[in-house]
Amino acid sequence: MSVTAGLIARGARVEACRPWPRSIVDAVVWREAAGHLARGALILTGLWGEPGRIHLALINADYSQPAILTLDCPDGRFPSVGQRHAPAIRLERAVADIVGLVADDAPDTRPWLDHRRWGLAHPQNGSGGDAAGPAAPYRFLAAEGDSLHQIAVGPVHAGVIEPGHFRFTANGETIVRLEARLGYVHRGLESLAAGAAVERAAALAARASGDSTVAYSLAFARAVEAALGVEPPPRAHWLRGLMAEFERLANHLGDIGAVCNDAAFVLMLAHTGVLRERVLRACAVAFGHRLMMDRVVPGGAAVDLDPAGAAALRAVVGEVRRRFPVLVALYDETTSLQDRTVGTGRVAPALARAFGAGGFVGRASGRAFDTRRALPYRPYTMLEFETPVREAGDVDARLWIRIEEVRESLNLIEQLLADPPTGPCRADPAAGGGTGDAKGAEGVALVEGFRGDVLVWLRLGADGRVDRCHLRDPSWFQWPLLEVCVEGAIVADFPLCNKSFNCSYAGHDL
Amino acid sequence: MPMFTVLLESLTGGPLTEPAAPLDDARLAALATRLDAAARRRLGRSLALRHVDAGSCNGCELEIHALSNAFYDLERFGLRFVASPRHADVLFVTGAVTRNMREALERTYNATPSPKWVVAVGDCAFDGGFFAGGYACAGGVDAAVPVDLHIRGCPPDPAALLEGLLALMESSASP
Ligand code: SF4
């Protein structure tokens, strides 16, 4: 029996949750799970709260059998997982801010998303929030030693990027400690989705992180479909696969140029920027929106693809196929550029594993996890593709993973375009499995976005509403690694490392 | 060698504002001329933009980025993004102004020398969009700082952003 199966068997199964098993366990099992996490037998994939209970989403170390453990905590306290397993620390801080549940013996009790500016505390505590907590200056972690100075950057940065604060402690040019402070773009998304109609909640999920709008919409849609027992028609899966891979392609193209640009190699950005723009224009022709926002919906896809759209997609794939190899050679043979990327911002494989870091951050450090393969969903079950993995863990490796994933996405898109299924692109709700009273039905889904795995869990309420939902961005398990990988680097390498991670602020802050 | 190939192809390949999107090209060419006239009158052919994300999903940022690609080539209009509000004429603000960002936005506004204009980019910046009404957002950008122009869209595409900048130039140039 796998570790997750063993833990699930020791609790009371909640049959309403699909397709992952969920069990209500006691504090003994909860603590045991934390121990398994600490010794690497389990991977943490989510930790979130509701009034009076806390949930822990886990996957076995071999990427199999995901499961959710729930601990009732009527007194508002639960045993800290972060105390044993560092990747849970910020999630527990967020739970304390948002729901008001306190992790006992937590190693870090500072607020995280709550900057004491909301006018209330614990917005999801069930009664619409508590009185605001006392405002207090944020204490950054200490760094001690001779001749140290601090550099404070943000929340408003110098470029066109999202807001966040970075506190560097440096000795001369050398970074001794970096600590990020996030939460600036916390929009209260989950609270707005609670009680909202499914359509509105889906639109909110589509706006969790704009660069991953397809991935979030897909995760949300699959969670709703799992809760309702609805199966979208084949053409819906086909369209979703196309959109998901075009989103990955567009983002990777943008990133490859942006990373090189931060190493002062502007030429690459100029050329990948052209390819990215062509991809976005083709997506606008094919799906009616450059970023494909609101195109993936519960039950299927909101738009079908007509012959003109398919032709635009085919043309742009051909264009990228023609132009991209030259750019790869350009990177591969420009040693002055590699001088900046090779060996810079190294993330040790053990750390990537411990944090369950997804996407190119994990894969550049030897972690092969890819949701499309580990927990496969359609249309990927019917397609052939590789998941590139490297071991070096540096900026160069994160770039190469993106380069290789561009090729894989092109392959996937070509396979899809070669074999279009016919029929409707959306399930008829009347023909769906569970259109009766869906109140209490729960669904959970993990989707491979360009940045890594996006988790959505939700419970439906009455009258086609969402009772509660939780969205977990891959960045939660990547931001802390960025802080580690710049230790001992020079301050000037931070922008390069940061870009090579390209973590989401909006998806993290929600 | 690849560097040479890429450069040579760029030199001999012709401009990228290609026939693939003739309509866009025509629109952009018209914009270039009009914007040029208005900008020259007011600001001597140059306008410095400073972007502030006050609670965006990052979708608007992606399209603002696209303004700098070879198709839109923002700088040929004399428009450029600058790193500090102290160098800016225009604040390009996105997002539903989260309460956690409001002070930073106000401070950025105050750090921008007059005359200055504020452009609210996107539906979130217009009135909070999907995020209006929650505990965490103040609403549209004008809940925090005075707005001169709204560019709607979720997100507005690069052509709409350029059009908006033109509208701002014309209105700010007329007394
Ligand atoms: S307007 Fe749309 S794209 Fe822009 S920040 Fe808001 S949700 Fe994102």
Side-chain angles (χ1 to χ4, degrees):
Chain A
M1 197 189 286
S2 74
V3 181
T4 54
L7 294 168
I8 284 290
R10 287 168 58 198
R13 271 294 287 275
V14 179
E15 298 299 336
C17 186
R18 286 181 288 197
W20 299 5
R22 178 163 87 80
S23 273
I24 299 172
V25 298
D26 58 22
V28 174
V29 176
W30 180 269
R31 282 201 186 88
E32 232 172 84
H36 287 306
L37 283 167
R39 61 179 180 82
L42 288 175
I43 302 160
L44 176 67
T45 195
L47 189 157
W48 68 99
E50 306 185 59
R53 61 183 109 142
I54 181 99
H55 306 287
L56 185 63
L58 305 161
I59 305 183
N60 289 306
D62 63 359
Y63 308 149
S64 70
Q65 294 184 308
I68 301 172
L69 303 184
T70 301
L71 178 69
D72 283 328
C73 28
D75 58 349
R77 314 187 73 89
F78 64 95
S80 168
V81 178
Q83 192 225 2
R84 308 283 303 275
H85 188 57
I89 293 176
R90 282 181 177 170
L91 290 162
E92 287 179 351
R93 291 167 68 187
V95 166
D97 287 348
I98 300 297
V99 194
L101 300 177
V102 176
D104 276 328
D105 303 319
D108 189 342
T109 55
R110 293 173 299 166
W112 181 236
L113 301 174
D114 183 356
H115 294 193
R116 304 287 191 252
R117 290 170 187 268
W118 298 335
L120 55 84
H122 319 137
Q124 285 187 35
N125 75 346
S127 56
D130 296 322
Y138 191 76
R139 277 181 304 102
F140 285 92
L141 298 174
E144 287 167 14
D146 286 338
S147 313
L148 297 183
H149 63 280
Q150 290 201 342
I151 309 168
V153 179
V156 179
H157 298 294
V160 180
I161 43 172
E162 300 184 82
H165 183 93
F166 297 111
R167 184 63 61 97
F168 297 90
T169 306
N171 180 321
E173 277 198 287
T174 307
I175 298 171
V176 174
R177 168 168 245 167
L178 164 64
E179 191 186 358
R181 188 188 185 197
L182 303 175
Y184 289 92
V185 277
H186 176 74
R187 294 153 291 164
L189 194 153
E190 290 176 351
S191 295
L192 289 164
V198 167
E199 293 73 36
R200 176 170 148 75
L204 284 163
R207 286 156 182 80
S209 178
D211 53 23
S212 304
T213 179
V214 174
Y216 270 96
S217 290
L218 184 53
F220 185 87
R222 285 182 53 213
V224 171
E225 289 153 12
L228 290 175
V230 168
E231 175 60 27
R235 194 165 170 88
H237 290 299
W238 180 76
L239 289 163
R240 290 169 168 195
L242 278 174
M243 289 191 249
E245 293 311 314
F246 271 104
E247 178 171 271
R248 194 179 329 276
L249 180 63
N251 281 310
H252 282 344
L253 287 171
D255 275 4
I256 291 165
V259 172
C260 294
N261 189 54
D262 270 8
F265 195 74
V266 187
L267 184 63
M268 186 70 86
L269 179 61
H271 284 273
T272 60
V274 167
L275 290 183
R276 177 183 155 87
E277 176 68 19
R278 289 200 197 280
V279 168
L280 297 188
R281 287 181 178 194
C283 290
V285 172
F287 305 112
H289 192 285
R290 286 162 57 92
L291 306 180
M292 300 166 283
M293 204 171 251
D294 303 323
R295 267 44 185 180
V296 173
V297 290
V303 287
D304 204 346
L305 184 65
D306 62 16
L313 296 183
R314 252 186 219 103
V316 82
V317 167
E319 175 74 10
V320 178
R321 278 244 186 259
R322 256 190 316 283
R323 303 285 317 167
F324 192 61
V326 185
L327 302 179
V328 176
L330 180 62
Y331 176 71
D332 202 15
E333 294 176 35
T334 305
T335 46
S336 61
L337 176 54
Q338 288 172 12
D339 186 47
R340 292 290 311 280
T341 58
V342 175
T344 306
R346 223 181 260 274
V347 175
L351 206 55
R353 217 171 25 246
F355 272 75
F360 38 79
V361 172
R363 280 170 218 146
S365 293
R367 186 170 183 266
F369 181 79
D370 180 338
T371 319
R372 296 170 296 175
R373 189 178 299 284
L375 305 168
Y377 46 97
R378 294 171 75 190
Y380 300 105
T381 43
M382 297 173 289
L383 301 171
E384 280 176 35
F385 62 102
E386 300 290 326
T387 300
V389 183
R390 295 196 168 225
E391 301 289 332
D394 53 4
V395 173
D396 176 64
R398 289 188 281 279
L399 258 183
W400 275 111
I401 296 289
R402 288 174 168 101
I403 289 170
E404 284 154 12
E405 289 189 5
V406 164
R407 296 177 183 140
E408 291 305 321
S409 286
L410 292 172
N411 286 340
L412 284 165
I413 291 166
E414 282 171 347
Q415 289 176 55
L416 286 164
L417 286 175
D419 191 15
T422 52
C425 62
R426 204 165 175 178
D428 179 3
T435 48
D437 189 10
K439 191 167 184 297
E442 292 178 29
V444 56
L446 200 70
V447 160
E448 190 68 25
F450 88 101
R451 186 179 273 124
D453 45 297
V454 171
L455 175 81
V456 171
W457 168 89
L458 54 80
R459 182 189 303 115
L460 296 173
D463 319 321
R465 294 188 171 268
V466 169
D467 175 42
R468 209 166 185 93
C469 73
H470 173 66
L471 293 72
R472 194 271 300 142
D473 195 87
S475 303
W476 279 97
F477 304 126
Q478 297 167 339
W479 275 119
L481 303 185
L482 173 65
E483 296 174 25
V484 175
C485 87
V486 298
E487 260 176 43
I490 57 171
V491 176
D493 272 344
F494 171 71
L496 183 60
C497 295
N498 190 23
K499 198 71 82 182
S500 78
F501 272 67
N502 190 19
C503 293
S504 173
Y505 301 69
H508 168 282
D509 294 353
L510 286 188
Chain B
M1 205 48 199
M3 172 102 77
F4 180 73
T5 317
V6 171
L7 289 173
L8 188 70
E9 277 183 16
S10 306
L11 284 173
T12 57
L16 273 168
T17 33
E18 34 48 278
L23 188 81
D24 278 1
D25 287 351
R27 202 158 140 214
L28 290 187
L31 271 179
T33 338
R34 286 159 67 204
L35 180 55
D36 205 23
R40 206 170 20 238
R41 237 179 300 142
R42 184 76 187 190
L43 288 149
R45 307 188 63 152
S46 132
L47 198 54
L49 314 173
R50 167 69 246 190
H51 159 255
V52 183
D53 176 341
S56 156
C57 80
N58 195 32
C60 282
E61 280 62 33
L62 295 178
E63 294 298 54
I64 294 174
H65 268 293
L67 284 173
S68 299
N69 74 34
F71 291 87
Y72 304 101
D73 189 18
L74 189 72
E75 297 218 2
R76 80 189 135 131
F77 302 105
L79 300 164
R80 65 188 200 290
F81 282 99
V82 293
S84 166
R86 301 202 189 275
H87 304 156
D89 306 302
V90 177
L91 290 185
F92 235 48
V93 188
T94 62
V97 189
T98 64
R99 292 189 198 277
N100 286 354
M101 265 307 284
R102 184 183 181 142
E103 183 189 340
L105 171 61
E106 287 166 353
R107 286 217 215 172
T108 307
Y109 178 82
N110 291 335
T112 310
S114 295
K116 58 188 163 193
W117 293 269
V118 173
V119 180
V121 175
D123 288 348
C124 286
F126 178 68
D127 62 359
F130 281 93
F131 300 97
Y135 63 90
C137 291
V141 171
D142 51 16
V145 297
V147 174
D148 297 285
L149 178 77
H150 289 282
I151 304 177
R152 298 292 302 270
C154 183
D157 64 25
L161 293 171
L162 273 181
E163 260 174 1
L165 279 167
L166 167 70
L168 177 77
M169 299 301 302
E170 295 205 324
S171 64
S172 68
S174 52

